[in-house]
Structure formats: structure tokens, C-alpha cells
């Protein structure tokens, strides 16, 4: 599962642009991953310029 | 806010404002929906722009300009510096916050309505055609109908995806970018510097853009292919510690820049995409202000034509894609191929080229002379590199 580190996201949208599943909802200062449609590809983790995202091994 | 407009523009950046301005000037009812509280903020940009490019659309205002740029420096991985004057034109480092704000005001003066804190959460699609947007304005859900929607919603565009246009950026075409706006730095006030090679920014470059009064934008982009091991932030922090240890970091901003070919046909029934949303970014430099404004300019015109012709079909709107291709699309496709070649250069290549060019006296460093001087070091790719550094 992909998680967001608290108070780190800049809401820049780089993750949204590379997400193949379109599962990231980004508003002015609100970030959410729709875990039901996330495919755990981790592209968002890789592209995030400020390491705000991380992947854990726990099951959905 | 009305419940129906001729044209809804999603996003109030330069592309969206230009589109809204052009459409509104043709007596079309236009509404801009911006998700953030402010137009022009937060800034997500290095803020560099060419004077000639900008003058196509607007007369530059003093209040927009943080610095006027006459020279550029190129620093190789080994630290060899090549300084060269821009021949023929100069550039600006903008205050995007003020610039974007004024562009939006121009759209408003032309008759466009603008709403901030207006988040678009979906599209109204009927019979396969886009007929408006689902939005949250100040947290309240609303359906706003439109004959045509213009998606100017940036690199994170979802408007296009909802309408079935493939906008996802491939990792190899994505630059993961971070920038610090810094104070207390000694930088040349009229020169922009580009640091190239893997020590600075693998698959991208690092920039130092002066903003006057001992301040600067220092940022970099790491290509998505190389972003897995170390983040953009890692590289920038390392650079800052080495080159500007005394700097005060006044703002941290980050973002993704799509350095790909423009989307071939960024239109469908009732919708067009402009700017970053349609990958209208120069893939060699990552610069997107001018191409975004041009796309908005063309998109707004086509939107007005479509409204007046009462035809917002995909067939009609394809004239937008055709005009973009003719204007900068083909050039960007060519730049993309060059960028693909440059990305294959290794640190050794950059150092060799820099060593050669260094032998040309600064006063004689026109692009042609630089080119001639370093043909021997890397014949196939030298011109491409120079073009990158010149920001052509």
C-alpha cells in the first residue's frame, strides 16, 4: 500500500501525472489515494520530488 | 456563478487565462475555475521566459520582471564553466505570482468570470460529448454546464482522462523537479546558470536563476528513469550545501514537468486541453510558459469559432490540434528527439564538450563559434547540447 507522510506533501501533482490508475485525488491542500483502485505500482513514490510517499508491505 | 456558460476553463494559469481572454474577446461567455485560493499561487516554476516569446502575447510589465537576463552559463560535471551571451534577444526571470494574476485580470477585463477555490471533480458527459463540469465551489457541489470545456489544469490534469484522452506521462518523459527560492546568495544578476550531468541532476539539469537583491531560484529536475534511487530533494540539498551553504531558503516548491511530445490530438467532443495538461512544454528546456500561452491563445480562438458555429464536435475541434501542430507541435517533436539524444550523453561527454568550448574566448562565443569549436569532441550531439543551453 502507498502512504503519505504527514505534513510533507506540497500538492504539486507530479504523482497524479504518472499514475496509471488515476487513483490520486488532489485538491488545494488535500491528498488522497483511492486504495480500491490503486495498483501499488509505486510510480508516485519514485516521482515525488520530496519523498512524501512511501510503500508499505501490508495487505489492502 | 451561473449554471451555464459557453466555455468553462479549468485552471487559472497562463494557458487558462489566455484561452479565457481570447474566447471572451469574441463575445463568448467564459468562466475560469481555479482550484486554489489564489490565481498565481503557489508558484510551481523556474520563472524564466524569453522576451520575444512573451511579446507575442503581451507587453512585458516592469512589475513582472525580477531580473533581465543577457548571458547564460553552462557548468560541466567537472565544474568547467562556459559563459556565453544570448545573441539577439534577452530573457526575463518573472514574478509568476504577479504575472499570472495580471493575465487573469486581462481575461476578466475581456469579460471572463473567475472563481477560485473552485475544484472540478468530474465532467458532465452526455451522448459521448462533454457538456460541462461537476465542481465543488467553496466546498459546495455544483453542476455547471458548458458547450465547451477547456482543460488547463496542469501536469496533474484529470479533465482529459475523464474525457478519454490519454494524458498520463511516461516515467521516462517526466522530470521530477524541486526548487528553492533563496535569499542571501551571491549570484550574477544578469546571468542564468545551468549545471549539467549526473552529479547535479541525472537526466535533467540544475538551474540558478537570479531574482535580484541577492535572491535566486535554485532548482533542478531529475528524469523519472533516475528518480528511483535518490529524490530531486536529495540532489538539491547536496548542491545547496556545497555551493550556497549560507543561503536562506524562503520557499520550497516542487512539481512534475512533462518533457514529452505534445499530445497528438488534445481534443474530443466538447473539450480541448491546453498547456501542461496537453504536454505543451518544450521537452528540451522544460519551459512551458510560452507554449502554454500559445496553446491558450489558439485554443481560445478555436473555442470562440466553435461556439459561433454552434459546433463543438471533435471533428470541428480538430482544427485546434492542427494549428498547434503547425505552430509549435512539430518543433517540439523535433526537440523531443534531440532531448532523447542528449539524455544519452554521459558526464565524460559533457566534460569533453566543455573543455573544447572553453578554448573559445568569451568575447567570441557566439553559438556558431561554439559549435565549430566543439564539433571534434562530439560531432553528432554538440548542436543539440548548445540548443539546450541556449534555451532555443
Amino acid at each position: 500500500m502507498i502512504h503519505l507522510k504527514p505534513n510533507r506533501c506540497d500538492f504539486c501533482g507530479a504523482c497524479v501525472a504518472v499514475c496509471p490508475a488515476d487513483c490520486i485525488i488532489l485538491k488545494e491542500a488535500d491528498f488522497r489515494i483511492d486504495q480500491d483502485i490503486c495498483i501499488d505500482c509505486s510510480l508516485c513514490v519514485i516521482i515525488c520530488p520530496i519523498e512524501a510517499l512511501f510503500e508499505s508491505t501490508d495487505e489492502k | 456563478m451561473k449554471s451555464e456558460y459557453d466555455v468553462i476553463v479549468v485552471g487559472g494559469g497562463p494557458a487558462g487565462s489566455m484561452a479565457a481572454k481570447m474566447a471572451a474577446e469574441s463575445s463568448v461567455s467564459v468562466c475560469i475555475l481555479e482550484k486554489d485560493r489564489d490565481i498565481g499561487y503557489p508558484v510551481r516554476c523556474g520563472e524564466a521566459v524569453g522576451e520575444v516569446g512573451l511579446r507575442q502575447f503581451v507587453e512585458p510589465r516592469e512589475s513582472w520582471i525580477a531580473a533581465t537576463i543577457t548571458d547564460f552559463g553552462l557548468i560541466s560535471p567537472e565544474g568547467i564553466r562556459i559563459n556565453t551571451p544570448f545573441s539577439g534577444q534577452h530573457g526575463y526571470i518573472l514574478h509568476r505570482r504577479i504575472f499570472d494574476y495580471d493575465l487573469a485580470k486581462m481575461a476578466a477585463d475581456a469579460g471572463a468570470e473567475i472563481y477560485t477555490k473552485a475544484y472540478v471533480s468530474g465532467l458532465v458527459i452526455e451522448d459521448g460529448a462533454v457538456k460541462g463540469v461537476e465542481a465543488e465551489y467553496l466546498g459546495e457541489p455544483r453542476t455547471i454546464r458548458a458547450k465547451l470545456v477547456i482543460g488547463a489544469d496542469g501536469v496533474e490534469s484529470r479533465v482529459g482522462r475523464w474525457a478519454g484522452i490519454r494524458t498520463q506521462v511516461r516515467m521516462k518523459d517526466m522530470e521530477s523537479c524541486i526548487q528553492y527560492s533563496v535569499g542571501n546568495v551571491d549570484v550574477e544578476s544578469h546571468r542564468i546558470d545551468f549545471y549539467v550531468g549526473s552529479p547535479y541532476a541525472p537526466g535533467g539539469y540544475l538551474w540558478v536563476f537570479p531574482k535580484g537583491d541577492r535572491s535566486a531560484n535554485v532548482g533542478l529536475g531529475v528524469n523519472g528513469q533516475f528518480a528511483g534511487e535518490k529524490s530531486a530533494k536529495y540532489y538539491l540539498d547536496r548542491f545547496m550545501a556545497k555551493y550556497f551553504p549560507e543561503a536562506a531558503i524562503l520557499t520550497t516548491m516542487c512539481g512534475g514537468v512533462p518533457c514529452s511530445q505534445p499530445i497528438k490530438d488534445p481534443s474530443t467532443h466538447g473539450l480541448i486541453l491546453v498547456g501542461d495538461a496537453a504536454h505543451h512544454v518544450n521537452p528540451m528546456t522544460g519551459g512551458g510558459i510560452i507554449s502554454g500561452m500559445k496553446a491558450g491563445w489558439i485554443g481560445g480562438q478555436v473555442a470562440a469559432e466553435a461556439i459561433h458555429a454552434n459546433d463543438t464536435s471533435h471533428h470541428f475541434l480538430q482544427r485546434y490540434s492542427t494549428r498547434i501542430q503547425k505552430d509549435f507541435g512539430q518543433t517540439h517533436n523535433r526537440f523531443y528527439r534531440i532531448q532523447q539524444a542528449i539524455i544519452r550523453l554521459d558526464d565524460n561527454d559533457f566534460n569533453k564538450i566543455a573543455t573544447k568550448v572553453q578554448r573559445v574566448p568569451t568575447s567570441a562565443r557566439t553559438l556558431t563559434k561554439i559549435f565549430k569549436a566543439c564539433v571534434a569532441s562530439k560531432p553528432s550531439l554538440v548542436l543539440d547540447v548548445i540548443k539546450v543551453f541556449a534555451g532555443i
Side-chain angles (χ1 to χ4, degrees):
Chain A
M1 257 177 111
I2 312 294
H3 305 272
L4 184 70
K5 293 178 192 168
N7 202 22
R8 183 127 174 174
C9 179
D10 192 40
F11 312 103
C12 77
C15 52
V16 183
V18 297
C19 176
D22 194 22
C23 69
I24 301 171
I25 297 130
L26 185 73
K27 299 186 187 176
E28 184 184 14
D30 184 14
F31 175 98
R32 200 155 47 83
I33 294 175
D34 186 339
Q35 299 288 359
D36 289 340
I37 54 173
C38 174
I39 56 170
D40 287 328
C41 70
S42 295
L43 294 184
C44 55
V45 179
I46 295 168
I47 209 69
C48 179
I50 50 170
E51 302 162 37
L53 292 159
F54 67 99
E55 187 178 18
S56 72
T57 51
D58 49 324
E59 295 288 312
K60 273 187 190 175
Chain B
M1 188 187 289
K2 296 197 277 277
S3 59
E4 186 163 3
Y5 295 88
D6 291 328
V7 176
I8 289 173
V9 180
V10 183
S17 287
M18 284 306 299
K21 176 177 179 285
M22 294 308 290
E25 281 175 355
S26 296
S27 310
V28 163
S29 73
V30 185
C31 167
I32 297 178
L33 302 175
E34 166 56 50
K35 75 172 161 51
D36 287 333
R37 193 191 71 176
D38 300 279
I39 297 285
Y41 183 81
V43 174
R44 300 198 185 282
C45 184
E47 306 183 287
V49 74
E51 185 229 354
V52 174
L54 190 59
R55 277 190 196 278
Q56 298 175 79
F57 314 106
V58 283
E59 185 65 27
R61 294 181 188 173
E62 216 168 278
S63 59
W64 299 344
I65 297 163
T68 301
I69 304 303
T70 55
D71 294 70
F72 69 98
L74 149 67
I75 299 91
S76 82
E78 271 180 354
I80 303 166
R81 168 183 282 282
I82 309 290
N83 289 344
T84 307
F86 279 116
S87 45
Q89 70 152 316
H90 53 267
Y92 298 124
I93 306 302
L94 296 173
H95 292 296
R96 274 289 301 272
R97 189 173 185 162
I98 304 170
F99 175 72
D100 285 26
Y101 207 81
D102 281 354
L103 290 186
K105 280 199 288 191
M106 289 176 199
D109 288 342
E113 293 179 24
I114 302 175
Y115 298 93
T116 59
K117 276 191 173 283
Y119 171 72
V120 171
S121 58
L123 294 174
V124 178
I125 297 178
E126 292 168 1
D127 303 325
V130 177
K131 298 284 185 189
V133 300
E134 301 290 351
E136 290 168 25
Y137 178 51
L138 302 171
E140 301 283 335
R142 281 168 192 255
T143 302
I144 313 163
R145 297 185 65 85
K147 292 173 186 149
L148 178 71
V149 172
I150 298 179
D153 51 333
V155 64
E156 69 268 40
S157 176
R158 297 178 73 208
V159 165
R161 294 191 192 203
W162 293 330
I165 300 171
R166 193 185 148 81
T167 62
Q168 184 200 338
V169 186
R170 292 178 298 186
M171 287 295 270
K172 75 181 190 73
D173 293 337
M174 189 68 160
E175 293 285 324
S176 177
C177 300
I178 183 166
Q179 176 175 275
Y180 295 147
S181 288
V182 298
N184 192 31
V185 288
D186 270 322
V187 288
E188 188 64 48
S189 59
H190 299 291
R191 191 184 69 221
I192 49 178
D193 281 342
F194 300 97
Y195 293 75
V196 293
S198 65
Y200 308 114
Y205 63 84
L206 182 148
W207 63 85
V208 178
F209 294 167
K211 286 198 81 176
D213 198 21
R214 293 174 54 76
S215 69
N217 288 340
V218 184
L220 60 81
V222 174
N223 184 276
Q225 291 175 103
F226 305 102
E229 286 178 31
K230 297 275 193 282
S231 69
K233 185 179 189 310
Y234 165 86
Y235 287 102
L236 188 55
D237 286 339
R238 196 172 70 168
F239 181 85
M240 293 302 292
K242 188 173 171 191
Y243 290 82
F244 298 116
E246 305 295 323
I249 297 171
L250 306 174
T251 314
T252 301
M253 64 191 85
C254 58
V257 178
C259 291
S260 64
Q261 291 168 299
I263 294 176
K264 264 203 190 91
D265 180 13
S267 69
T268 183
H269 297 292
L271 179 126
I272 60 171
L273 299 177
V274 297
D276 279 17
H279 308 173
H280 291 153
V281 172
N282 179 334
M284 279 206 315
T285 62
I289 299 172
I290 298 304
S291 43
M293 289 175 80
K294 180 51 81 73
W297 179 277
I298 296 170
Q301 282 174 339
V302 170
E305 291 165 19
I307 299 302
H308 293 311
N310 200 23
D311 184 357
T312 56
S313 68
H314 187 197
H315 179 73
F316 188 95
L317 296 174
Q318 273 173 331
R319 66 173 65 181
Y320 166 68
S321 307
T322 308
R323 287 184 205 172
I324 292 285
Q325 277 305 318
K326 274 193 189 148
D327 191 283
F328 64 80
Q330 286 164 1
T331 314
H332 279 200
N333 287 341
R334 194 165 64 243
F335 284 164
Y336 179 74
R337 289 193 292 276
I338 295 169
Q339 185 253 5
Q340 292 296 297
I342 292 165
I343 215 164
R344 290 195 295 271
L345 287 179
D346 61 24
D347 291 345
N348 209 10
D349 293 329
F350 282 127
N351 286 327
K352 269 197 323 202
I353 291 167
T355 309
K356 273 269 192 241
V357 175
Q358 207 183 19
R359 292 181 196 148
V360 180
T362 312
S363 57
R365 268 182 210 153
T366 60
L367 285 181
T368 320
K369 284 194 178 151
I370 290 174
F371 176 59
K372 282 180 185 161
C374 53
V375 159
S377 62
K378 193 79 182 176
S380 59
L381 292 168
V382 164
L383 180 61
D384 311 337
V385 177
I386 288 165
K387 278 185 173 171
V388 170
F389 300 140
I392 299 167

Coordinates of all heavy atoms in Angstrom, one line a residue, chain B residues 283-335:
Chain B
P283 N 10.3 20.1 -24.6 CA 10.9 19.0 -23.9 C 12.4 19.1 -23.7 O 13.0 18.3 -23.0 CB 10.5 17.8 -24.9 CG 10.2 18.4 -26.2 CD 9.8 19.8 -26.0
M284 N 13.1 20.1 -24.4 CA 14.5 20.2 -24.2 C 14.8 21.0 -22.9 O 15.7 20.8 -22.2 CB 15.2 20.9 -25.4 CG 15.4 19.9 -26.5 SD 16.8 20.4 -27.5 CE 16.4 22.2 -27.8
T285 N 14.0 22.1 -22.7 CA 14.3 23.0 -21.6 C 13.3 22.8 -20.4 O 13.6 23.3 -19.4 CB 14.1 24.5 -22.1 OG1 12.7 24.7 -22.5 CG2 15.0 24.8 -23.3
G286 N 12.2 22.2 -20.7 CA 11.2 22.1 -19.6 C 10.4 23.4 -19.5 O 9.6 23.5 -18.6
G287 N 10.6 24.3 -20.4 CA 9.9 25.6 -20.3 C 8.5 25.5 -20.9 O 8.3 24.9 -21.9
G288 N 7.5 26.0 -20.1 CA 6.1 25.8 -20.6 C 5.3 27.0 -20.6 O 4.1 27.0 -21.0
I289 N 5.9 28.2 -20.3 CA 5.1 29.4 -20.2 C 4.6 29.8 -21.6 O 3.4 30.0 -21.8 CB 5.9 30.6 -19.5 CG1 6.2 30.2 -18.1 CG2 5.0 31.8 -19.5 CD1 7.2 31.2 -17.4
I290 N 5.6 29.9 -22.5 CA 5.2 30.4 -23.8 C 4.4 29.5 -24.6 O 3.3 29.9 -25.2 CB 6.5 30.8 -24.6 CG1 7.4 31.9 -23.9 CG2 6.2 31.2 -26.1 CD1 6.6 33.1 -23.7
S291 N 4.7 28.2 -24.6 CA 3.9 27.2 -25.4 C 2.5 27.1 -24.7 O 1.5 26.9 -25.4 CB 4.6 25.9 -25.5 OG 5.2 25.5 -24.4
G292 N 2.4 27.2 -23.4 CA 1.1 27.2 -22.7 C 0.3 28.4 -23.2 O -0.9 28.2 -23.4
M293 N 0.9 29.6 -23.2 CA 0.2 30.8 -23.6 C -0.3 30.7 -25.1 O -1.4 31.0 -25.4 CB 1.0 32.0 -23.4 CG 1.2 32.4 -21.9 SD 2.4 33.8 -21.7 CE 1.3 35.2 -22.0
K294 N 0.6 30.1 -25.9 CA 0.3 29.9 -27.3 C -0.9 29.0 -27.5 O -1.8 29.2 -28.2 CB 1.5 29.5 -28.1 CG 1.3 29.3 -29.6 CD 0.7 30.5 -30.3 CE 1.6 31.6 -30.6 NZ 2.5 31.4 -31.7
A295 N -0.9 27.9 -26.7 CA -2.0 26.9 -26.8 C -3.3 27.6 -26.3 O -4.3 27.3 -26.9 CB -1.6 25.7 -26.0
G296 N -3.2 28.4 -25.3 CA -4.3 29.1 -24.8 C -4.9 30.1 -25.8 O -6.1 30.2 -26.0
W297 N -3.9 30.7 -26.4 CA -4.3 31.7 -27.5 C -5.0 31.0 -28.6 O -6.1 31.5 -29.0 CB -2.9 32.3 -28.0 CG -3.0 33.3 -29.1 CD1 -3.1 33.1 -30.4 CD2 -2.9 34.7 -28.9 NE1 -3.1 34.3 -31.1 CE2 -3.0 35.3 -30.2 CE3 -2.8 35.6 -27.8 CZ2 -3.0 36.7 -30.5 CZ3 -2.8 37.0 -28.1 CH2 -2.9 37.5 -29.4
I298 N -4.5 29.9 -29.1 CA -5.1 29.2 -30.2 C -6.4 28.5 -29.7 O -7.4 28.6 -30.4 CB -4.1 28.1 -30.8 CG1 -2.9 28.8 -31.4 CG2 -4.8 27.3 -31.8 CD1 -1.8 27.9 -31.8
G299 N -6.3 27.9 -28.5 CA -7.5 27.2 -28.0 C -8.7 28.2 -27.8 O -9.8 27.8 -28.1
G300 N -8.4 29.4 -27.3 CA -9.5 30.3 -27.1 C -10.1 30.8 -28.4 O -11.3 30.9 -28.4
Q301 N -9.3 30.9 -29.4 CA -9.8 31.3 -30.7 C -10.7 30.2 -31.3 O -11.8 30.5 -31.8 CB -8.6 31.6 -31.7 CG -8.0 32.9 -31.5 CD -6.8 33.1 -32.4 OE1 -6.2 32.1 -32.8 NE2 -6.4 34.4 -32.6
V302 N -10.2 29.0 -31.2 CA -11.0 27.9 -31.7 C -12.3 27.7 -30.9 O -13.3 27.4 -31.5 CB -10.1 26.6 -31.7 CG1 -11.0 25.4 -32.0 CG2 -9.0 26.7 -32.7
A303 N -12.2 27.9 -29.6 CA -13.4 27.8 -28.8 C -14.4 28.8 -29.3 O -15.6 28.5 -29.4 CB -13.0 28.1 -27.3
A304 N -14.0 30.0 -29.5 CA -14.9 31.1 -30.0 C -15.5 30.7 -31.3 O -16.7 30.8 -31.6 CB -14.2 32.4 -30.1
E305 N -14.7 30.2 -32.2 CA -15.2 29.8 -33.5 C -16.2 28.6 -33.4 O -17.2 28.6 -34.1 CB -14.0 29.2 -34.4 CG -13.0 30.3 -34.8 CD -11.7 29.8 -35.3 OE1 -11.6 28.6 -35.7 OE2 -10.7 30.6 -35.4
A306 N -15.9 27.7 -32.5 CA -16.8 26.6 -32.3 C -18.2 27.0 -31.7 O -19.2 26.6 -32.2 CB -16.2 25.6 -31.3
I307 N -18.1 28.0 -30.8 CA -19.4 28.5 -30.2 C -20.2 29.2 -31.3 O -21.4 29.0 -31.4 CB -19.1 29.4 -29.0 CG1 -18.3 28.7 -27.9 CG2 -20.4 30.0 -28.5 CD1 -19.0 27.4 -27.4
H308 N -19.5 30.1 -32.0 CA -20.2 30.8 -33.1 C -20.8 29.9 -34.2 O -21.8 30.2 -34.8 CB -19.3 31.9 -33.7 CG -19.0 33.0 -32.7 ND1 -19.9 33.7 -31.9 CD2 -17.8 33.6 -32.3 CE1 -19.4 34.5 -31.1 NE2 -18.1 34.5 -31.3
A309 N -20.1 28.8 -34.4 CA -20.5 27.9 -35.5 C -21.5 26.9 -34.9 O -22.1 26.1 -35.6 CB -19.3 27.2 -36.1
N310 N -21.7 27.0 -33.6 CA -22.6 26.1 -32.9 C -22.2 24.6 -33.1 O -23.0 23.7 -33.3 CB -24.1 26.3 -33.2 CG -25.0 25.7 -32.2 OD1 -24.6 25.5 -31.1 ND2 -26.2 25.4 -32.6
D311 N -20.9 24.4 -33.1 CA -20.4 23.0 -33.4 C -19.2 22.8 -32.5 O -18.1 23.3 -32.8 CB -20.0 22.9 -34.9 CG -19.5 21.5 -35.3 OD1 -19.4 20.7 -34.4 OD2 -19.2 21.3 -36.5
T312 N -19.4 22.0 -31.5 CA -18.2 21.7 -30.6 C -17.9 20.2 -30.7 O -17.4 19.6 -29.8 CB -18.5 22.0 -29.1 OG1 -19.7 21.3 -28.7 CG2 -18.7 23.5 -28.9
S313 N -18.1 19.6 -31.9 CA -17.8 18.2 -32.2 C -16.3 18.0 -32.2 O -15.6 19.0 -32.5 CB -18.4 17.8 -33.5 OG -17.8 18.4 -34.6
H314 N -15.9 16.8 -32.0 CA -14.5 16.5 -32.1 C -13.9 16.9 -33.5 O -12.8 17.4 -33.6 CB -14.3 15.0 -31.9 CG -12.8 14.6 -31.8 ND1 -12.4 13.3 -31.9 CD2 -11.7 15.3 -31.6 CE1 -11.1 13.2 -31.8 NE2 -10.6 14.5 -31.6
H315 N -14.7 16.6 -34.5 CA -14.3 16.9 -35.9 C -14.0 18.4 -36.0 O -13.0 18.8 -36.6 CB -15.5 16.5 -36.9 CG -15.1 16.9 -38.3 ND1 -14.2 16.1 -39.0 CD2 -15.6 17.9 -39.1 CE1 -14.1 16.7 -40.2 NE2 -14.9 17.7 -40.3
F316 N -14.9 19.3 -35.5 CA -14.6 20.7 -35.6 C -13.4 21.1 -34.8 O -12.6 21.9 -35.2 CB -15.9 21.5 -35.1 CG -15.8 23.0 -35.3 CD1 -16.4 23.5 -36.4 CD2 -15.1 23.8 -34.4 CE1 -16.3 24.9 -36.7 CE2 -15.0 25.2 -34.7 CZ -15.6 25.7 -35.8
L317 N -13.3 20.5 -33.6 CA -12.2 21.0 -32.7 C -10.8 20.5 -33.1 O -9.8 20.9 -32.6 CB -12.5 20.5 -31.2 CG -13.8 21.1 -30.6 CD1 -14.1 20.5 -29.3 CD2 -13.6 22.6 -30.5
Q318 N -10.8 19.5 -34.0 CA -9.5 19.1 -34.5 C -8.7 20.1 -35.2 O -7.5 20.0 -35.3 CB -9.7 17.8 -35.4 CG -9.7 16.6 -34.6 CD -10.1 15.4 -35.5 OE1 -10.8 15.5 -36.5 NE2 -9.6 14.2 -35.0
R319 N -9.4 21.2 -35.6 CA -8.6 22.4 -36.1 C -7.7 22.9 -35.1 O -6.6 23.5 -35.4 CB -9.5 23.4 -36.7 CG -10.4 24.1 -35.6 CD -11.2 25.3 -36.2 NE -12.2 24.9 -37.2 CZ -12.9 25.7 -37.9 NH1 -12.8 27.0 -37.7 NH2 -13.8 25.3 -38.7
Y320 N -8.0 22.8 -33.8 CA -7.1 23.2 -32.7 C -5.8 22.4 -32.8 O -4.7 22.9 -32.8 CB -7.9 23.1 -31.4 CG -6.9 23.1 -30.2 CD1 -6.3 24.3 -29.8 CD2 -6.7 22.0 -29.4 CE1 -5.5 24.4 -28.7 CE2 -5.9 22.1 -28.3 CZ -5.2 23.3 -27.9 OH -4.4 23.3 -26.9
S321 N -6.0 21.1 -32.8 CA -4.8 20.2 -32.9 C -3.9 20.5 -34.1 O -2.7 20.5 -34.0 CB -5.2 18.7 -32.9 OG -6.1 18.5 -31.8
T322 N -4.6 20.7 -35.2 CA -3.9 21.0 -36.4 C -3.1 22.3 -36.3 O -1.9 22.4 -36.7 CB -4.9 21.2 -37.6 OG1 -5.7 20.0 -37.6 CG2 -4.1 21.3 -39.0
R323 N -3.7 23.3 -35.7 CA -3.0 24.6 -35.6 C -1.8 24.5 -34.6 O -0.8 25.1 -34.8 CB -4.0 25.7 -35.2 CG -4.9 26.1 -36.3 CD -5.8 27.3 -35.9 NE -7.0 27.3 -36.7 CZ -8.1 28.1 -36.4 NH1 -8.0 28.9 -35.4 NH2 -9.1 28.0 -37.2
I324 N -2.0 23.8 -33.5 CA -0.9 23.6 -32.6 C 0.2 22.9 -33.3 O 1.4 23.3 -33.1 CB -1.4 22.7 -31.4 CG1 -2.4 23.5 -30.5 CG2 -0.2 22.3 -30.5 CD1 -1.9 24.6 -29.7
Q325 N -0.1 21.8 -34.0 CA 1.0 21.1 -34.7 C 1.8 22.0 -35.6 O 3.0 22.0 -35.7 CB 0.4 19.9 -35.5 CG 0.1 18.6 -34.8 CD 1.3 18.1 -34.0 OE1 2.4 18.1 -34.5 NE2 1.1 17.7 -32.8
K326 N 1.0 22.9 -36.4 CA 1.7 23.8 -37.3 C 2.5 24.8 -36.5 O 3.6 25.2 -37.0 CB 0.7 24.5 -38.2 CG 0.3 23.7 -39.4 CD -0.5 24.5 -40.4 CE -1.1 23.7 -41.5 NZ -2.3 24.2 -42.0
D327 N 2.0 25.3 -35.4 CA 2.7 26.3 -34.7 C 4.0 25.9 -34.0 O 5.0 26.2 -34.4 CB 1.7 27.0 -33.7 CG 2.2 28.3 -33.1 OD1 3.1 28.2 -32.2 OD2 1.8 29.4 -33.6
F328 N 3.8 25.1 -32.9 CA 5.0 24.6 -32.2 C 5.0 23.1 -32.0 O 6.1 22.6 -31.6 CB 5.1 25.3 -30.8 CG 3.9 24.9 -29.8 CD1 4.0 23.7 -29.2 CD2 2.9 25.8 -29.6 CE1 2.9 23.4 -28.3 CE2 1.8 25.5 -28.8 CZ 1.9 24.3 -28.1
G329 N 4.0 22.4 -32.4 CA 3.9 21.0 -32.2 C 5.1 20.2 -32.9 O 5.8 19.4 -32.3
Q330 N 5.3 20.6 -34.2 CA 6.3 19.9 -34.9 C 7.7 20.2 -34.4 O 8.6 19.3 -34.3 CB 6.2 20.3 -36.4 CG 5.0 19.6 -37.1 CD 4.7 20.2 -38.4 OE1 5.3 21.2 -38.9 NE2 3.6 19.7 -39.1
T331 N 7.9 21.5 -34.0 CA 9.1 21.9 -33.4 C 9.4 21.1 -32.1 O 10.5 20.6 -31.8 CB 9.1 23.4 -33.1 OG1 8.6 24.0 -34.2 CG2 10.5 23.9 -32.8
H332 N 8.4 21.0 -31.3 CA 8.5 20.3 -30.0 C 8.8 18.8 -30.3 O 9.6 18.2 -29.5 CB 7.3 20.4 -29.1 CG 7.3 21.7 -28.4 ND1 6.5 21.9 -27.3 CD2 7.9 22.9 -28.6 CE1 6.7 23.2 -26.8 NE2 7.5 23.7 -27.6
N333 N 8.2 18.2 -31.3 CA 8.5 16.8 -31.7 C 10.0 16.7 -32.0 O 10.6 15.7 -31.6 CB 7.7 16.4 -32.8 CG 6.2 16.2 -32.5 OD1 5.9 16.0 -31.3 ND2 5.3 16.2 -33.4
R334 N 10.5 17.7 -32.7 CA 11.9 17.6 -33.1 C 12.8 17.8 -31.8 O 13.8 17.1 -31.6 CB 12.3 18.7 -34.1 CG 13.6 18.5 -34.8 CD 13.7 19.4 -36.0 NE 13.7 20.8 -35.7 CZ 12.8 21.7 -36.1 NH1 11.8 21.3 -36.9 NH2 12.8 22.9 -35.8
F335 N 12.4 18.7 -31.0 CA 13.2 18.9 -29.7 C 13.2 17.7 -28.9 O 14.1 17.4 -28.2 CB 12.5 20.1 -28.9 CG 12.9 21.5 -29.4 CD1 12.1 22.6 -29.0 CD2 13.9 21.7 -30.3 CE1 12.4 23.8 -29.5 CE2 14.2 22.9 -30.8 CZ 13.5 24.0 -30.4

